[in-house]
Amino acid sequence: MRVAQLFQSVIGTDTSIRVTAYDGSAVGPPDAPYVMRIRTPLALAYLAAAPGSLGLARAYVTGALEVDGEMSVVLREIADVTLHGIPKEQRIKLTRTLLGYRLRHRAPIPPVEYRPRGRLHSKRRDANVISHHYDVSNRFYSWVLGPSMAYTCAVYPSDTASLEEAQRTKHELVARKLGLKSDMRLLDVGCGWGGMVMHAAAEYGVKALGVTLSRQQAEWAQKEIVERGLTELAEVRHLDYRDVPETDFDVISSIGLTEHIGAAQLPSYFGRLYGKLKPGGRLLNHCITQPTADGNDVDSFIDRYVFPDGELHGIGKLVTEMNRQGFEVRHEENLREHYARTLSGWCANLDEHWDEAVREVGEQRARVWRLYMAACVVGFERNNIQLHQVLGVKLDDRGEAFMPLRPDW
């Protein structure tokens, strides 16, 4: 079997993608707008070592495999491989077929692949993992994320809304769910580049504190706070949320942090946030979830290259644990379609700034981001992953929630 035909056996024959290979072989429509090019034998060696999404990712990240055309479209065509892996029987057969390539061609693990050390979810290991992902380059992230520097799911108010409009809508939705008022104190845990902190301070006059384990995020955010004239109200610290000394906050937002919290740490996570709130205080927890009850199923490529130690939980588990730690859950919604749109916007931004991005962070890292964001577009579209916002309240001694009779957001 020639190389193109062999590779097609991996991704499936029911596809309109053309596959070409270094040995001159080709399969698929000659006029196909999307092409996968097998550039070197290393692509097959990577697949032999790790059949499925991890092997495909290693081949693409190293340049042994190239994709011509929009990445998310290509991944939609081979979604069974990229989202669910190859069935066990087919994987065994494929491994035997590819064994020769693995023996003849040493396929080194790409240097951007990361395996953290130390005790899982210890403060030191968490800090290293966050730094690996976020301390890449603020300039690189500005090209991908756009002016908002918001690295979480946006909320699109209409089909024609821009990414910036949607990110502002997201911050405003969180603000309204929390019921922000000018005399309040907000804690934003895992605050990123401080978007929610600055929105709360500028739009509501709230005294807002954000904390992040990324030094580069904290430095960028503090500089932006000064430039916007918000130093009397807003602050971002390079700090673990577990080490925040202040208490008695009126509201807490957690936007994109829970993905980094392991299942065993969920009780202490929600318990700690509960303890930081005043009676009547609200928590808005915004995070990626698994549609299954068990959760914790993170793709091997994303675990090795993007979010090491990440764990995704089922929404039922999150709601249950919030209840157990004392919160009354008052509202919940799934925004998965919005995250697919958000990621599509980021993919377009990266493609627009591709050459600059490669010069800034290197080709392998840029390829990691292009692949993972496109794969996540498909993941949210296919309901392989979801995005939930959950609003909880710390009741006072009389059971008062201080909530409107109907949602006012």
Side-chain angles (χ1 to χ4, degrees):
M1 185 183 296
R2 301 192 71 186
V3 171
Q5 287 81 5
L6 179 59
F7 194 80
Q8 189 183 51
S9 72
V10 177
I11 65 173
T13 58
D14 187 20
T15 172
S16 60
I17 297 171
R18 184 165 178 79
V19 178
T20 65
Y22 59 88
D23 66 348
S25 60
V27 293
D31 58 347
Y34 304 103
V35 180
M36 299 185 75
R37 293 187 284 119
I38 315 305
R39 298 175 63 189
T40 75
L42 281 179
L44 298 177
Y46 280 120
L47 281 172
S53 64
L54 182 59
L56 284 170
R58 286 172 173 169
Y60 175 72
V61 167
T62 58
L65 167 67
E66 188 58 273
V67 174
D68 297 337
E70 186 177 342
M71 178 68 77
S72 60
V73 175
V74 174
L75 295 182
R76 285 189 193 102
E77 290 276 339
I78 58 172
D80 285 342
V81 175
T82 57
L83 293 181
H84 308 297
I86 300 173
K88 184 177 180 180
E89 291 184 4
Q90 184 181 350
R91 187 166 65 246
I92 293 172
K93 182 179 179 181
L94 177 65
T95 301
R96 290 172 179 167
T97 304
L98 293 173
L99 182 60
Y101 288 93
R102 187 177 183 182
L103 294 175
R104 290 193 301 272
H105 304 281
R106 181 176 175 273
I109 294 176
V112 291
E113 188 167 313
Y114 181 67
R115 299 299 296 272
R117 296 181 178 182
R119 182 170 56 86
L120 181 64
H121 294 302
S122 65
K123 289 182 180 179
R124 175 176 292 183
R125 177 160 166 166
D126 281 353
N128 290 336
V129 164
I130 294 299
S131 179
H132 166 78
H133 184 82
Y134 296 99
D135 290 339
V136 174
S137 160
N138 285 335
R139 182 178 292 109
F140 170 78
Y141 274 113
S142 72
W143 289 325
V144 173
L145 305 179
S148 72
M149 289 297 279
Y151 195 25
T152 50
C153 175
V155 176
Y156 285 77
S158 69
D159 287 339
T160 58
S162 68
L163 176 60
E164 286 304 302
E165 289 174 310
Q167 289 293 9
R168 178 177 174 80
T169 300
K170 184 266 300 296
H171 288 139
E172 181 61 17
L173 178 62
V174 173
R176 294 182 64 115
K177 285 182 175 180
L178 291 173
L180 293 188
K181 298 177 182 177
S182 61
D183 59 345
M184 287 183 169
R185 293 171 62 235
L186 163 71
L187 172 63
D188 186 31
V189 294
C191 68
W193 287 269
M196 187 63 214
V197 168
M198 286 181 271
H199 183 87
E203 301 299 325
Y204 289 87
V206 168
K207 192 168 182 60
L209 168 64
V211 294
T212 172
L213 280 173
S214 166
R215 186 178 297 278
Q216 288 191 22
Q217 286 182 335
E219 291 173 351
W220 187 95
Q222 271 303 115
K223 181 181 178 184
E224 189 72 9
I225 285 169
V226 171
E227 291 179 357
R228 295 189 190 186
L230 296 172
T231 53
E232 294 298 315
L233 292 173
E235 179 187 3
V236 169
R237 299 177 193 165
H238 177 225
L239 186 68
D240 193 302
Y241 80 95
R242 292 167 284 194
D243 294 329
V244 174
E246 292 92 338
T247 188
D248 288 334
F249 289 95
D250 296 283
V251 288
I252 297 176
S253 54
S254 177
I255 307 174
L257 173 61
T258 317
E259 297 90 334
H260 300 287
I261 304 294
Q265 284 70 43
L266 284 177
S268 61
Y269 165 71
F270 285 120
R272 193 178 300 270
L273 298 185
Y274 183 87
K276 291 290 182 184
L277 282 169
K278 292 179 179 179
R282 303 181 193 178
L283 165 68
L284 191 285
N285 199 82
H286 166 125
C287 68
I288 301 171
T289 64
Q290 285 278 15
T292 59
D294 296 335
N296 300 333
D297 183 17
V298 176
D299 179 83
S300 56
F301 157 61
I302 291 179
D303 181 58
R304 300 284 185 91
Y305 286 86
V306 186
F307 292 113
D309 293 344
E311 293 185 32
L312 302 183
H313 314 289
I315 183 60
K317 184 177 184 64
L318 295 176
V319 169
T320 297
E321 201 54 61
M322 287 179 69
N323 281 148
R324 284 176 175 165
Q325 298 308 315
F327 286 102
E328 181 185 46
V329 173
R330 299 300 299 248
H331 189 268
E332 176 282 318
E333 65 176 311
N334 184 0
L335 298 168
R336 71 176 178 87
E337 293 90 350
H338 293 261
Y339 216 160
R341 285 175 178 260
T342 304
L343 284 152
S344 293
W346 293 342
C347 288
N349 286 345
L350 178 57
D351 286 347
E352 182 180 349
H353 295 280
W354 182 254
D355 292 339
E356 302 102 308
V358 169
R359 287 194 294 269
E360 180 70 16
V361 301
E363 184 171 0
Q364 285 198 3
R365 194 172 293 276
R367 281 175 172 264
V368 166
W369 256 252
R370 185 182 185 222
L371 179 59
Y372 115 76
M373 291 192 301
C376 286
V377 170
V378 181
F380 282 107
E381 288 176 345
R382 299 292 181 90
N383 194 33
N384 193 54
I385 43 179
Q386 300 175 345
L387 188 289
H388 283 265
Q389 284 191 352
V390 184
L391 179 65
V393 179
K394 179 178 182 177
L395 304 178
D396 72 3
D397 292 339
R398 294 185 173 185
E400 177 61 57
F402 303 99
M403 292 285 296
L405 288 176
R406 297 297 301 158
D408 55 1
W409 52 83

